[in-house]
Amino acid sequence: MQNISEQERIRRDAMNNLREMGIEPFPAAAFDTTHYTNALKDGFKPGIHVRLAGRIMNRRIMGSASFAELLDSSGRIQVYFNRDILCPDEDKTLYNTVFKKLLDFGDFIGVEGVTFLTKTGEPSVEVHKFTVLSKSIKPLPVVKTDEAGVVHDAFTDPELRYRMRYVDLVVNEDVKKTFLTRSKIIQTMRDFFNAQNYLEVDTPVLQAIPGGAAARPFITHHNALNIPLYLRVANELYLKRLIVGGFDGVYEFSRNFRNEGMDRTHNPEFTIMEIYVAYKDYFWMMDFTEEMIERICLSVHGKTTVKIGAKEIDFKRPFARFTMAQAIEKYTGVNIENKSEEELRSICKDQGIEVNEAMGKGKLIDELFSEKCEHHFIQPTFITDYPIEMSPLCKRHRDNPELTERFELMVNGTELANAYSELNDPIDQRGRFEEQFSLAQRGDDEAMFIDYDFLRALEYGMPPTSGMGIGIDRLVMMLTGQESIQDVLLFPQMRPEKFETASNADAFVEAGVPIEWAEHLPGAGFPTVEDLKSNKATVIHQKLNGYRKKNKLEISAVQLEDVERWLLA
RNA sequence: GAUCUCGUAGCUCAGCUGGUAGAGCAGUACACUUUUAAUGUACGGGUCCUGGGUUCGAGUCCCAGCGGGGUCACCA
């Protein structure tokens, strides 16, 4: 038995009392409802017979009449319990004992009654019958909101909120809203793609070669094949194989896994939506992306603007477009076109950027951009034409072989989407993989693995294709105004919690402790047999007798010799 | 990984230069038949994260650890 608080003990007692009265605290039968609470309040009409189910969230007991709030998935409504309505006969137990004493804040009940307006004008339900649906034996945090809308005693501790999201969702209404919005964003995207007959697909999460992005993978092992397998860092190479196979458009909401640091914008598992469309190029994809995002914003907010902190972001089409060279010139005054690696290295040094010999041309330009430009792009902006070294899966630019047909969408100073005219020349692709491989030799631990099967697929021929990936978690953050990725993931990664599992009384008895003491050991500070045995007899002796005195236990004091015998056993 | 910071009742948080652990909400008991942060009276509730150290004395000071958060680094 865990150590339980006084309030938990009282609730367990109430649960047992219900059983003794013949009321099952966890009944099996379904409870049919007629309404959701918000639908009932919306265009409220008195005199309607309703059946509702939910949690009791707040009780105001005034002798023979009580008000409470019933919380269901849609919201809450006030419910009115009256002793003489619930118990028209002599026996008032149902109201006086069951409702007032044995039910608690947080319990699930079903109610049957009639809607009415109170004299203060609050839409309410007069309860004629109620059914216990599930007992809550652990008290929820009590969060109250006053008339002015000020929230009191909010449940705010991030650790508790993320570890116990179930509690967070019950007591913090806005949290639920964030996840409803997340679902709506995804649904809007899906509808948009499906309307154009693009196919939603599933590709492997367990991959023998973690391709498609340069990132440290999680590794696992398949026993039957006796090979290492990696959790995917991206699904790009699989979706392109499907374009080779003849699909016109394919997309996947891909849960990706990267074994890297965690912070406000990174979680080890996260979601990217990737879409590939045949016979298109990156210009087409820019238009497509704009339309998609504007649509999402409209469906979520009914307008194209979103507030993030003090900033207002407008997702109205068209978005601004700059090439990477233009962006760098705009914010540093330096023209990087046609510069050698050495020249670029000295430009970086002039701009106060730390460089080293492992950095190639592409990496140097990337540093310039991310240090000097990225944070300036608050409004949605497409940055195009990235250096070839940074984009091994992207087609060479039609006008300049040192660049690629790539764009990233920058919003609020961070990357939101990334897209290419896909590289479909198998010879070029093989060369680029080999370059990546030599980068890896040079010490770049993020360089990519070579996927020979993917090269073979390209050799069979892939039509010109444009692909785009968009970070769903970051998109949701932007559209819900959340500053941490943990607030848009239902269960963000946390260090696992340690649970002290207390030994049960039998284990102590087996270890030689008499039964009358065994049940008290966890409470006295020895949750397990091991904890007991790791202490000195004198310490145990004193603690137990102290505990006995404090709790006025009606058992005789333990003797030091007894304790010594337990430890020997 | 570096650094700053937090950890006290079921929840939100006070607790000063070290001196008997506090409040509000929640809980229990009583009262109260239209309340809504219900109200009134009374009462109970603590491993002050863990382990060491300094001290006559540690929630408070020092060291180490555990857990959370922030910032930086890492992360196409």
Side-chain angles (χ1 to χ4, degrees):
Chain A
M1 174 79 78
Q2 298 293 110
N3 277 344
I4 59 171
S5 68
E6 182 193 31
Q7 294 195 38
E8 288 171 87
R9 189 178 47 71
I10 289 166
R11 283 178 179 231
R12 281 166 196 248
D13 289 347
M15 172 184 77
N16 292 331
N17 288 341
L18 283 172
R19 282 220 171 90
E20 279 165 24
M21 297 176 68
I23 299 171
E24 172 53 42
F26 300 100
F31 185 87
D32 295 325
T33 59
T34 57
H35 293 79
Y36 287 111
T37 59
N38 68 342
L40 208 51
K41 281 199 289 190
D42 207 25
F44 181 81
K45 283 197 199 88
I48 302 174
H49 277 78
V50 297
R51 283 166 67 87
L52 306 171
R55 285 187 195 266
I56 301 170
M57 283 312 277
N58 193 357
R59 285 196 302 174
R60 300 176 285 277
I61 297 178
M62 293 151 299
S64 326
S66 302
F67 288 94
E69 275 149 32
L70 194 73
L71 172 74
D72 69 7
S73 65
S74 73
R76 49 177 84 191
I77 194 164
Q78 178 165 272
V79 282
Y80 174 60
F81 293 82
N82 180 295
R83 185 189 63 199
D84 297 327
I85 293 174
L86 281 167
C87 316
D89 304 328
E90 281 301 294
D91 182 5
K92 307 296 183 190
T93 315
L94 190 64
Y95 179 80
N96 285 339
T97 307
V98 178
F99 174 72
K100 274 168 73 173
K101 304 283 185 201
L102 301 182
L103 289 185
D104 286 294
F105 177 81
D107 290 351
F108 283 92
I109 58 169
V111 303
E112 197 176 334
V114 178
T115 59
F116 76 108
L117 275 178
T118 62
K119 71 178 179 192
T120 56
E122 179 79 16
S124 308
V125 173
E126 181 183 276
V127 177
H128 294 176
K129 260 198 206 161
F130 69 87
T131 310
V132 177
L133 296 179
S134 186
K135 185 76 192 156
S136 161
I137 61 168
K138 214 172 172 64
L140 287 164
V142 181
V143 180
K144 293 190 175 181
T145 309
D146 66 19
E147 261 177 83
V150 179
V151 177
H152 298 264
D153 301 324
F155 179 63
T156 53
D157 184 328
E159 174 169 10
L160 298 178
R161 285 187 46 224
Y162 300 146
R163 282 198 198 283
M164 302 192 288
R165 184 68 91 185
Y166 38 89
V167 173
D168 194 26
L169 285 164
V170 172
V171 302
N172 291 327
E173 213 175 308
D174 286 350
V175 173
K176 206 190 266 175
K177 227 183 281 170
T178 298
F179 292 101
L180 292 178
T181 302
R182 183 180 174 116
S183 169
K184 189 161 194 186
I185 288 168
I186 291 171
Q187 197 189 320
T188 304
M189 292 173 83
R190 206 168 250 145
D191 290 347
F192 181 55
F193 302 150
N194 290 349
Q196 304 176 59
N197 286 319
Y198 300 148
L199 184 71
E200 181 165 16
V201 297
D202 290 301
T203 65
V205 174
L206 286 173
Q207 302 179 349
I209 297 171
R216 221 182 316 159
F218 285 91
I219 185 163
T220 183
H221 185 264
H222 189 267
N223 289 342
L225 295 176
N226 192 25
I227 52 164
L229 285 176
Y230 302 88
L231 271 63
R232 70 177 165 203
V233 294
N235 61 349
E236 171 159 359
L237 302 186
Y238 284 93
L239 292 181
K240 286 187 196 172
R241 283 173 169 97
L242 295 175
I243 297 293
V244 170
F247 292 111
D248 244 10
V250 288
Y251 70 94
E252 179 175 17
F253 287 88
S254 171
R255 187 72 64 86
N256 294 345
F257 305 83
R258 298 189 182 177
N259 203 342
E260 287 160 358
M262 295 162 58
D263 61 30
R264 226 174 49 235
T265 54
H266 295 84
N267 193 69
E269 59 181 289
F270 61 103
T271 305
I272 288 185
M273 192 298 303
E274 296 215 18
I275 182 163
Y276 291 79
V277 184
Y279 313 114
K280 306 297 185 193
D281 64 8
Y282 77 140
F283 292 114
W284 178 89
M285 188 58 85
M286 272 189 261
D287 297 340
F288 181 82
T289 303
E290 277 175 349
E291 187 181 348
M292 176 187 83
I293 291 178
E294 191 189 66
R295 237 167 224 264
I296 293 168
C297 195
L298 282 169
S299 97
V300 167
H301 292 296
K303 55 182 182 180
T304 59
T305 54
V306 178
K307 273 224 150 60
I308 303 181
K311 291 171 261 183
E312 185 172 80
I313 293 180
D314 193 345
F315 288 103
K316 187 161 182 52
R317 287 186 285 170
F319 302 164
R321 298 181 184 190
F322 294 98
T323 67
M324 179 161 265
Q326 286 167 345
I328 290 174
E329 186 158 7
K330 183 174 158 97
Y331 289 108
T332 64
V334 181
N335 185 340
I336 55 156
E337 285 169 288
N338 305 314
K339 292 286 192 291
S340 69
E341 186 174 314
E342 272 321 302
E343 288 171 309
L344 285 169
R345 191 165 282 124
S346 76
I347 288 170
C348 281
K349 280 184 197 154
D350 292 345
Q351 295 290 329
I353 295 167
E354 278 185 43
V355 294
N356 62 54
E357 288 306 309
M359 293 163 113
K361 233 172 140 173
K363 183 77 182 162
L364 290 165
I365 293 172
D366 182 44
E367 285 294 314
L368 268 177
F369 180 77
S370 52
E371 289 296 314
K372 296 291 167 187
C373 308
E374 204 170 72
H375 59 277
H376 291 293
F377 296 108
I378 303 303
Q379 296 303 323
T381 305
F382 289 117
I383 303 298
T384 65
D385 301 353
Y386 284 61
I388 193 156
E389 297 86 342
M390 301 163 53
S391 315
L393 301 168
C394 183
K395 197 173 208 142
R396 238 173 252 272
H397 197 280
R398 59 194 78 180
D399 301 326
N400 181 345
E402 298 219 321
L403 300 179
T404 53
E405 296 209 347
R406 171 177 182 179
F407 73 79
E408 285 194 357
L409 175 60
M410 311 297 306
V411 182
N412 198 27
T414 57
E415 174 197 342
L416 181 60
N418 181 23
Y420 309 146
S421 295
E422 300 297 335
L423 177 54
N424 60 346
D425 175 342
I427 308 297
D428 194 357
Q429 181 67 80
R430 186 177 294 265
R432 304 265 204 102
F433 273 145
E434 280 160 5
E435 249 163 65
Q436 285 291 305
F437 188 70
S438 71
L439 277 180
Q441 306 291 79
R442 205 167 148 180
D444 186 346
D445 59 356
E446 295 150 14
M448 291 185 185
F449 291 67
I450 301 182
D451 186 334
Y452 291 102
D453 174 71
F454 174 67
L455 287 173
R456 178 168 59 194
L458 289 190
E459 285 167 2
Y460 281 102
M462 181 171 92
T465 298
S466 185
M468 185 265 290
I470 181 165
I472 296 298
D473 310 298
R474 287 186 189 174
L475 178 65
V476 175
M477 284 168 68
M478 282 172 196
L479 292 175
T480 57
Q482 298 298 332
E483 306 215 320
S484 168
I485 197 168
Q486 298 179 106
D487 288 316
V488 300
L489 298 171
L490 281 167
F491 301 102
Q493 192 58 242
M494 301 283 277
R495 200 179 288 275
E497 194 175 357
K498 273 191 213 133
F499 283 97
E500 278 216 351
T501 45
S503 301
N504 60 23
D506 292 346
F508 285 110
V509 173
E510 232 166 84
V513 178
I515 182 75
E516 65 268 25
W517 272 108
E519 58 182 304
H520 295 298
L521 287 172
F526 306 102
T528 66
V529 175
E530 290 73 44
D531 292 321
L532 182 73
K533 301 239 169 180
S534 66
N535 277 281
K536 284 185 193 159
T538 47
V539 173
I540 299 168
H541 175 239
Q542 287 185 7
K543 274 202 184 179
L544 290 188
N545 283 330
Y547 183 82
R548 169 181 173 272
K549 195 171 171 191
K550 186 176 168 195
N551 292 282
K552 303 190 176 77
L553 298 183
E554 293 186 353
I555 51 182
S556 50
V558 70
Q559 300 301 310
L560 185 57
E561 302 86 78
D562 297 333
V563 177
E564 281 165 348
R565 256 203 318 280
W566 304 347
L567 293 182
L568 287 175

